């Protein structure tokens, strides 16, 4: 059985989903794969412990604190490759960024391969079912361009989340890569 509740955030209404103990979904309204990983019917339950912990995590995040994904019990549904990508996303510190290519290099090492497609990584990032907490918004193109749209509902939301974390932007809308920390 799956449970759901809503959270009002500065970037829009968020839908949370849990299996009773672990968070399985966090989606912003308008997100491309909204609730796409939970096929079963969900029952409203505002009092579930994991929801209280998640809302506290989100409150702290939007207050400029730096909560980390490991503070919550997460169970994003997905295959081995996607799980590996999402684990790497969880390692990106607050206010820092990485690229699809950098994640592809890490996945190639994990999978004992010479190379890995950055596009395959992009697919996994785009299907992240626990946006914000598993920080897919911290992944940008190698030129600093934003790639929002797949995972969390648009470039504007990606930019708002990164600005919330203190990331600096150039006048053309790209991230100022010289002034950002990078996870390689």
């Amino acid at each position: 059985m799956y449970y759901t509740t809503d959270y009002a955030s500065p970037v829009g209404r968020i839908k949370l989903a849990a299996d009773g103990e672990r968070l399985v979904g966090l989606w912003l309204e308008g997100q491309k794969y909204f609730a796409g990983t939970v096929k079963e019917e969900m029952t409203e339950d505002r009092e579930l412990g994991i929801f209280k912990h998640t809302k506290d995590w989100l409150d702290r995040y939007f207050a400029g604190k730096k909560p980390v994904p490991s503070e919550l019990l997460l169970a994003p549904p997905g295959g081995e490759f996607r799980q590996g990508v999402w684990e790497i996303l969880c390692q990106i510190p607050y206010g820092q960024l990485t690229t699809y290519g950098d994640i592809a290099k890490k996945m190639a090492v994990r999978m004992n391969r010479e190379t890995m497609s950055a596009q395959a990584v992009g697919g996994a990032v785009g299907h992240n079912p626990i946006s914000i907490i598993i920080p897919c918004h911290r992944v940008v193109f190698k030129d600093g361009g934003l790639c929002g749209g797949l995972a969390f509902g648009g470039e504007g939301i990606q930019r708002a989340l990164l600005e919330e974390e203190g990331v600096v932007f150039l006048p053309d809308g790209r991230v100022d890569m010289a002034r950002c920390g990078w996870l390689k």
Side-chain angles (χ1 to χ4, degrees), residues 122-167:
V125 171
H127 284 84
N128 171 16
I130 305 179
S131 299
I132 302 174
I133 295 171
I134 298 178
C136 51
H137 60 280
R138 296 179 187 151
V139 182
V140 298
F141 293 120
K142 65 182 177 182
D143 69 352
L146 300 183
C147 40
L150 290 179
F152 41 81
E155 211 173 271
I157 292 176
Q158 182 180 20
R159 183 181 177 109
L161 293 171
L162 292 177
E163 286 175 342
E164 181 82 30
E165 295 183 19
V167 172

Side-chain angles (χ1 to χ4, degrees), residues 13 32 49 63 82 100-101 115 118 132 151 158 168 170 173 178:
R13 181 153 302 286
K32 185 172 183 178
R82 287 183 179 178
Y100 293 105
T115 62
I132 302 174
Q158 182 180 20
V168 178
L170 298 168

Side-chain angles (χ1 to χ4, degrees), residues 1-57:
M1 176 162 259
Y2 288 93
Y3 304 91
T4 187
T5 193
D6 291 329
Y7 175 84
S9 84
V11 294
R13 181 153 302 286
I14 292 175
K15 174 76 69 185
L16 303 174
D19 64 5
E21 296 179 9
R22 302 167 302 166
L23 193 68
V24 298
L26 184 157
W27 306 280
L28 287 103
E29 286 183 351
Q31 179 171 333
K32 185 172 183 178
Y33 300 110
F34 185 86
T37 53
V38 179
K39 304 300 180 199
E40 295 84 1
E41 190 168 328
M42 296 185 275
T43 303
E44 177 78 22
D45 186 341
R46 295 184 187 136
E47 301 304 315
L48 210 56
I50 186 61
F51 289 152
K52 290 178 181 180
H53 295 304
T54 302
K55 288 176 180 183
D56 174 68
W57 192 102

